[in-house]
């Protein structure tokens, strides 16, 4: 789920680029809303027992020992939520203001 939370804004941005000038703001706002919904789900599903949760640990370039690792802990949990809420507010304001 953390992968989707990370890459969904980029996908929504690419989709907004193809949506046309009139709908680009609303497509971006919809992507921001979906990202905020995922962040709320991550906060609701978070177990305060400790440690990293919603982790991803994939080997990216095995010959060099490079790995792709993500996780959410208690410190950055609310920073993720704060970022998505502010991003949605700014994007929605921009979509409304654009018209």
């Amino acid at each position: 789920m953390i992968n989707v939370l990370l890459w969904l804004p980029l996908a929504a941005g690419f989709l907004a680029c193809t949506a046309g000038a009139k709908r680009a703001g609303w497509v971006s706002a919809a992507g921001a809303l979906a990202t905020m919904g995922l962040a709320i789900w991550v906060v609701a599903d978070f177990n305060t027992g400790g440690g990293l949760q919603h982790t991803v640990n994939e080997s990216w370039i095995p010959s060099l020992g490079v790995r792709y690792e993500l996780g959410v802990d208690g410190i950055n949990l609310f920073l993720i939520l704060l970022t998505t809420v502010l991003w949605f507010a700014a994007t929605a304001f921009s979509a409304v203001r654009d018209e």
Side-chain angles (χ1 to χ4, degrees):
M1 188 55 63
I2 193 75
N3 269 333
V4 176
L5 187 62
L6 178 67
W7 297 107
L8 181 61
L10 181 65
F14 284 139
L15 190 61
C17 288
T18 63
K22 289 193 176 203
R23 286 188 236 129
W26 292 107
V27 171
S28 296
L33 181 64
T35 305
M36 186 176 69
L38 285 175
I40 291 170
W41 180 81
V42 167
V43 169
D45 193 49
F46 191 78
N47 181 9
T48 57
L52 286 176
Q53 296 176 27
H54 303 287
T55 58
V56 174
N57 187 359
E58 299 290 332
S59 180
W60 189 21
I61 307 172
S63 61
L64 297 176
V66 178
R67 304 194 61 77
Y68 173 74
E69 296 185 35
L70 296 173
V72 178
D73 64 1
I75 293 174
N76 61 18
L77 177 69
F78 290 103
L79 293 175
I80 291 170
L81 184 62
L82 176 67
T83 301
T84 58
V85 167
L86 291 177
W87 181 56
F88 171 69
T91 307
F93 178 76
S94 176
V96 171
R97 183 88 175 174
D98 223 10
E99 292 180 2

